[in-house]
Amino acid sequence: MSVPVMHPRPGNLRAVAEQIESATGLRVQILGGKLVMSPTPRGKHAGTIRRLRHQLEPRIPQGLASYENSSIPMPDDDDDYCTPDLIVLPESWDDDDEWLADPADAELAVEVISKSEKARQITDKNGWYAAAGVKILLVVDPRHGMWTLFTHPKDGAYHGKLDGVYGDAITLPEPFGFDLDSGCLPRYGDG
């Protein structure tokens, strides 16, 4: 495989990210001006997303829908964008020609922690979502069978935080107002 010569610099990072995705198949995001690359989610990672989506879709409020492979930008930044594992946006996203959805439209973003992610990467990404103004962030960690629900973003931080373990109900606040079953989620290393 041959990757073209690229010259990443502020203002063209999105173009470089697209070239890397096209050449390698890796998932590329730009968080805080840094290119972050990860492989396509594996079985249990993808299974976690599928199980959460299966629970969300029949109960999502009218006018909203869940999406995978949809990205949101950092407002007022020509480079930064993030692609959550799952995101709930207005259904009108179905007919949008843009590749970046407005983060103000994101009612919920879901991030499933990969086996290889480090604590610093996770903290940075959570802060990115708060700074972008994503209303609710659900972080699911199959490494440890834990989850965290972040709410009330303000001044670049979430001011609401609820931690739980697999088996605890994940109570989503309005506009959802229902629980997700975390007990059905797979853990890494489980047979």
Side-chain angles (χ1 to χ4, degrees):
M1 167 177 46
S2 175
V3 177
V5 175
M6 294 173 256
H7 303 284
R9 62 187 178 282
N12 83 334
L13 289 178
R14 284 188 188 168
V16 170
E18 289 176 25
Q19 287 178 319
I20 292 170
E21 280 187 350
S22 176
T24 66
L26 292 172
R27 181 173 144 188
V28 182
Q29 303 173 87
I30 305 171
L31 304 172
K34 297 177 186 167
L35 290 166
V36 178
M37 293 171 265
S38 56
T40 303
R42 296 177 189 212
K44 288 183 181 177
H45 186 118
T48 299
I49 299 162
R50 185 190 67 76
R51 290 174 192 197
L52 289 170
R53 186 175 187 169
H54 182 75
Q55 292 181 61
L56 277 167
E57 287 193 331
R59 298 159 64 191
I60 289 178
Q62 187 171 359
L64 297 175
S66 64
Y67 299 90
E68 294 178 45
N69 303 312
S70 291
S71 302
I72 53 174
M74 176 63 71
D76 304 319
D77 190 308
D78 290 337
D79 285 327
D80 272 30
Y81 71 94
C82 191
T83 307
D85 289 305
L86 188 63
I87 188 166
V88 176
L89 296 165
E91 247 176 14
S92 59
W93 183 240
D94 285 3
D95 299 315
D96 201 311
D97 285 330
E98 297 297 320
W99 74 278
L100 291 169
D102 186 338
D105 289 342
E107 294 295 335
L108 170 69
V110 178
E111 280 288 344
V112 178
I113 304 301
S114 299
K115 273 183 156 182
S116 61
E117 279 188 90
K118 306 290 184 232
R120 173 81 180 172
Q121 292 170 306
I122 296 165
T123 300
D124 288 351
K125 194 180 283 188
N126 296 350
W128 189 99
Y129 281 109
V134 173
K135 297 170 190 84
I136 303 168
L137 172 64
L138 174 60
V139 177
V140 179
D141 189 347
R143 299 171 309 171
H144 306 291
M146 302 171 71
W147 55 264
T148 304
L149 187 68
F150 296 95
T151 58
H152 303 93
K154 183 178 179 189
D155 300 326
Y158 282 107
H159 294 272
K161 180 182 175 195
L162 180 63
D163 294 310
V165 296
Y166 282 17
D168 294 344
I170 304 169
T171 302
L172 296 178
E174 294 300 327
F176 302 98
F178 58 82
D179 293 348
L180 297 174
D181 173 17
S182 67
C184 69
L185 303 177
R187 289 184 62 165
Y188 299 142
D190 290 351

